[in-house]
């Protein structure tokens, strides 16, 4: 085998590799001999099939197999002999593979860069520490108490704050409005969760009363065919319930499966602390990655950057398509419940004891649609609009390529730290991650377990973040990380550490 390096530019290498025809022929003959000892052909005893017949019947397929295996083994040998570290599988382009001639092909590879030995002695980052204030625990308890607030039936007229239980049919003209009709709907009068004016017209209602409520849908309503139109809601009141005062005592703790109010307070405090600690760790991790990206700047394989960019771009398009589908669904059908203008909002409920500490990654907004014109002006406007949209897309792609390059560089740096310090992900850690995934999908646990068992490549999506977190923890232990006490408000007011802004990355 002859290997000639033809190009060396940055991390890219190109080689011309030639495998002598004699080596190929010897391997083809050996493979045909093995095949002849295994097969049975009519008219020949086992193992006695002449070579010329084997070549005539199986020569082309065996030659193809030999060429494929030779490409794999010879390229691997060429890489190994030169102690190269490919970033991606090599690209092979066959130049000549005629029968009886040498096999000649070109091999292009991208190498992993030489990564500098990082120093973590003084990164100049800090860990934010939040102690859960008692007032927040109090507010969480009040929300739970509101959720478990009791009510009693009354026979008198409904007042603000009362719960009305009713059946409803909503119509615009003779057409029933989808999503506005139903039975046993509930609304808290005065809560402002229904269409404007809806609750006001139900004040004073009593059980077993029939009322007509006249509403004009707001301009700009989600269902465009209803915007600005008048509707009539036929209401049959079934119950009027008056909410009793909120009670915060040991019974509230028992209502959520605990022994007492003090145990509930302790549980909420611990949950809030876990959430704040998690948010603090996310910000510490982002600060660490930002510092590493700022400190270490080395060449990265273009192919890896391109693969990462394609992944980001696919995700961007998937988010846009999902947003478009949601917007179309909202335009097509009026929301049945849970929107700002629902006519059947449920009784007021408390939210979770803690709120989300991080938001979703921002998705750039689409350009506004151009207004239709006419004649040459319309053509010019359309061309200008298309040109503007293309420029915006190219700018966004350039920004996402910067993000992709940053991710690849940080990934290589963390991988090198892990390799040099023998940081690995154990099978037990992978199993724990699979179990967590299964628990997040109640009722489908078996399907999740089967999916990971039957799809080994999917496990990499679990292994990678575990490895990254372990390397981050290793670096944090070595680095001089300062701590600063802060408030929950300051912690949550900081930019979301899970977002990557294309304008700044």
């Amino acid at each position: 085998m002859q290997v000639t390096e033809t190009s060396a530019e940055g991390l890219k290498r190109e080689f011309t590799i030639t495998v002598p025809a004699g080596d190929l022929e010897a391997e083809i003959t050996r493979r045909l001999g093995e095949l002849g000892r295994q097969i049975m052909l009519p008219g020949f005893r086992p193992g006695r099939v002449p070579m010329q017949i084997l070549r005539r019947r199986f020569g082309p397929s065996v030659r193809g197999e030999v060429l494929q295996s030779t490409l794999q083994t010879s390229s691997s040998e060429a890489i190994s002999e030169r102690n190269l570290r490919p970033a991606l599988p090599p690209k092979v382009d066959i130049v000549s593979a005629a029968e009886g001639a040498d096999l000649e092909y070109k091999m292009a590879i991208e190498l992993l860069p030489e990564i500098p030995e990082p120093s973590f002695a003084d990164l100049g980052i800090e860990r934010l520490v939040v102690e859960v204030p008692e007032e927040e625990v109090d507010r969480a308890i009040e929300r739970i108490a509101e959720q478990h607030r009791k009510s009693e039936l009354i026979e008198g007229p409904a007042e603000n704050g009362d719960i009305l239980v009713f059946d409803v049919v909503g119509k615009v003209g003779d057409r029933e409005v989808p999503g506005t009709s139903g039975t046993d709907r509930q609304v808290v009068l005065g809560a402002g969760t229904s269409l404007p004016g809806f609750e006001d017209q139900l004040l004073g209602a009593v059980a077993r009363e029939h009322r007509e409520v006249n509403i004009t849908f707001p301009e700009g309503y989600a269902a465009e065919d209803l915007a600005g139109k008048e509707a009539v809601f036929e209401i049959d009141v079934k119950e009027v319930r008056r909410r009793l005062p909120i009670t915060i005592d040991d019974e509230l703790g028992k209502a959520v499966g605990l022994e007492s109010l003090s145990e509930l307070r302790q549980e909420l405090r611990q949950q809030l602390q876990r959430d704040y600690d998690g948010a603090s760790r996310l910000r510490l991790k982002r600060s660490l990655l930002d510092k590493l990206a700022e400190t270490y700047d080395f060449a990265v394989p273009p192919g890896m950057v391109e693969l990462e960019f394609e992944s980001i771009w696919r995700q961007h398009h998937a988010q846009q398509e999902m947003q478009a589908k949601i917007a179309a669904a909202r335009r097509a059908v009026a929301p049945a419940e849970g929107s700002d203008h629902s006519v059947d909002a449920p009784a007021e409920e408390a939210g979770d004891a803690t709120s989300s500490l991080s938001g979703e990654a921002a998705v750039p907004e689409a350009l506004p649609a151009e207004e239709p014109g006419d004649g040459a002006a319309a053509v010019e406007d359309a061309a200008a609009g298309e040109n503007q949209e293309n420029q915006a897309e190219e700018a966004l792609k350039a920004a996402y390529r910067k993000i992709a390059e940053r991710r690849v560089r940080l990934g290589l740096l963390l991988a090198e730290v892990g390799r040099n310090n023998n940081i690995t992900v154990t099978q037990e850690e992978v199993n724990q991650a699979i179990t967590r995934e299964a628990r997040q999908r109640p009722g489908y646990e078996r399907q999740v377990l089967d999916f990971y068992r039957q799809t080994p490549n999917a496990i990499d999506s679990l292994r990678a973040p575990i490895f990254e977190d372990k390397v981050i923890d290793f670096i944090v232990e070595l680095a001089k990380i300062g701590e600063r006490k802060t408030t929950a408000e300051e912690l949550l007011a900081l930019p979301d550490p899970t977002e990557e802004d294309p304008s700044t990355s």
Side-chain angles (χ1 to χ4, degrees):
M1 180 179 72
Q2 180 180 352
V3 180
T4 305
E5 184 174 348
T6 58
S7 176
E9 181 181 351
L11 297 176
K12 295 181 178 181
R13 299 289 186 274
E14 292 183 3
F15 299 89
T16 297
I17 300 177
T18 303
V19 179
D23 293 351
L24 294 174
E25 179 59 30
E27 181 63 15
I28 292 172
T29 301
R30 186 186 69 79
R31 295 275 188 95
L32 288 172
E34 289 181 350
L35 185 62
R37 290 190 292 273
Q38 297 170 1
I39 66 169
M40 295 180 62
L41 290 180
F44 299 97
R45 288 181 296 171
R48 296 292 185 177
V49 181
M51 179 60 69
Q52 62 270 26
I53 294 179
L54 291 173
R55 284 186 178 277
R56 187 167 58 249
R57 296 196 59 171
F58 304 107
S61 61
V62 169
R63 177 178 172 77
E65 293 174 3
V66 168
L67 287 176
Q68 184 64 35
S69 65
T70 301
L71 287 172
Q72 293 176 352
T73 56
S74 59
S75 59
S76 295
E77 287 176 10
I79 292 171
S80 178
E81 288 173 358
R82 287 157 181 78
N83 295 319
L84 302 177
R85 294 203 303 159
L88 297 169
K91 295 181 180 179
V92 171
D93 183 17
I94 296 177
V95 177
S96 173
E99 187 170 355
D102 295 343
L103 168 64
E104 181 180 341
Y105 66 93
K106 294 180 179 180
M107 179 179 70
I109 60 175
E110 290 184 5
L111 306 179
L112 290 173
E114 291 295 327
I115 300 174
E117 182 69 26
S119 172
F120 308 124
D122 187 13
L123 292 175
I125 59 178
E126 62 182 5
R127 188 199 314 272
L128 299 178
V129 179
V130 174
E131 294 181 358
V132 179
E134 287 302 310
E135 311 88 76
E136 186 158 359
V137 179
D138 292 338
R139 288 195 295 269
I141 288 179
E142 288 171 2
R143 289 195 294 269
I144 293 176
E146 179 67 34
Q147 186 177 9
H148 289 82
R149 189 173 182 177
K150 296 180 180 179
S151 62
E152 62 181 4
L153 286 172
I154 64 169
E155 290 297 329
E159 303 174 357
N160 274 332
D162 290 343
I163 300 171
L164 221 61
V165 182
F166 57 92
D167 296 342
V168 58
V169 176
K171 291 184 177 181
V172 172
D174 296 330
R175 180 171 67 92
E176 185 173 327
V177 180
T180 62
S181 302
T183 60
D184 295 327
R185 298 293 177 91
Q186 294 186 17
V187 67
V188 179
L189 299 184
T193 55
S194 306
L195 288 163
F198 183 83
E199 296 166 21
D200 294 341
Q201 297 181 54
L202 292 175
L203 287 172
V206 297
R208 297 173 296 280
E209 178 183 349
H210 176 83
R211 284 199 178 191
E212 280 191 2
V213 174
N214 298 287
I215 291 294
T216 300
F217 283 98
E219 297 293 340
Y221 189 61
E224 294 177 354
D225 60 333
L226 298 179
K229 293 188 177 179
E230 296 181 355
V232 176
F233 295 92
E234 300 289 342
I235 304 290
D236 289 306
V237 181
K238 302 174 80 170
E239 293 180 0
V240 178
R241 305 190 66 89
R242 183 147 297 164
R243 295 186 295 171
L244 300 175
I246 291 176
T247 57
I248 298 178
D249 53 21
D250 286 342
E251 292 301 317
L252 180 61
K254 294 177 182 178
V256 295
L258 301 174
E259 293 296 325
S260 63
L261 179 61
S262 62
E263 189 174 341
L264 173 60
R265 292 186 67 88
Q266 181 66 15
E267 184 70 24
L268 288 171
R269 186 180 294 105
Q270 291 175 354
Q271 181 179 341
L272 287 164
Q273 191 65 63
R274 286 194 297 270
D275 288 340
Y276 286 132
D277 290 347
S280 177
R281 188 186 188 283
L282 279 177
R283 299 190 188 284
L284 176 64
K285 177 180 177 181
R286 181 57 185 261
S287 297
L288 173 60
L289 294 177
D290 287 345
K291 189 67 175 181
L292 293 177
E294 174 188 328
T295 305
Y296 298 98
D297 185 14
F298 50 86
V300 293
M304 294 184 72
V305 175
E306 186 63 25
L307 288 176
E308 184 65 29
F309 166 75
E310 289 173 359
S311 175
I312 295 173
W313 195 245
R314 282 195 302 270
Q315 184 180 8
H316 164 67
H317 274 294
Q319 289 174 333
Q320 284 195 322
E321 290 174 4
M322 180 60 70
Q323 287 182 338
K325 289 179 181 178
I326 292 173
R330 286 175 175 170
R331 288 193 299 268
V333 180
E337 58 183 339
S339 71
D340 290 342
H341 304 302
S342 173
V343 301
D344 55 325
E348 185 177 350
E349 295 181 354
D352 294 334
T354 57
S355 60
S356 173
L357 296 176
S358 62
E360 296 178 352
V363 177
E365 295 181 357
L367 291 171
E370 293 293 323
E371 292 294 331
D374 55 9
V379 173
E380 291 178 2
D381 289 345
E386 182 177 355
N387 184 53
Q388 182 181 4
E389 186 172 350
N390 289 339
Q391 289 178 351
E393 181 172 298
E394 289 305 313
L396 187 60
K397 284 184 175 181
Y400 279 146
R401 285 188 190 280
K402 289 180 64 179
I403 292 177
E405 183 176 336
R406 166 192 162 101
R407 288 185 182 179
V408 170
R409 183 174 290 109
L410 288 172
L412 291 173
L413 182 61
L414 295 180
E416 189 74 2
V417 172
R419 186 174 68 88
N420 291 340
N421 295 279
N422 299 317
I423 298 174
T424 59
V425 177
T426 66
Q427 186 59 47
E428 182 181 358
E429 290 170 328
V430 172
N431 292 339
Q432 290 173 353
I434 294 175
T435 301
R436 286 194 297 270
E437 288 286 314
R439 287 175 178 170
Q440 291 175 4
R441 294 164 176 79
Y444 297 91
E445 293 88 349
R446 174 54 57 186
Q447 291 91 325
V448 172
L449 295 176
D450 289 343
F451 169 74
Y452 284 108
R453 187 179 297 111
Q454 298 166 9
T455 318
N457 291 340
I459 294 179
D460 291 339
S461 64
L462 300 178
R463 190 185 303 273
I466 297 173
F467 176 80
E468 180 180 287
D469 283 342
K470 293 183 74 170
V471 175
I472 292 291
D473 290 340
F474 173 81
I475 295 174
V476 168
E477 287 181 7
L478 293 180
K480 295 178 180 179
I481 304 296
E483 287 192 354
R484 178 169 66 88
K485 289 187 177 182
T486 186
T487 64
E489 290 76 16
E490 181 185 356
L491 176 66
L492 300 182
L494 294 172
D496 186 350
T498 64
E499 290 186 3
E500 286 181 292
D501 185 355
S503 66
T504 60
S505 297

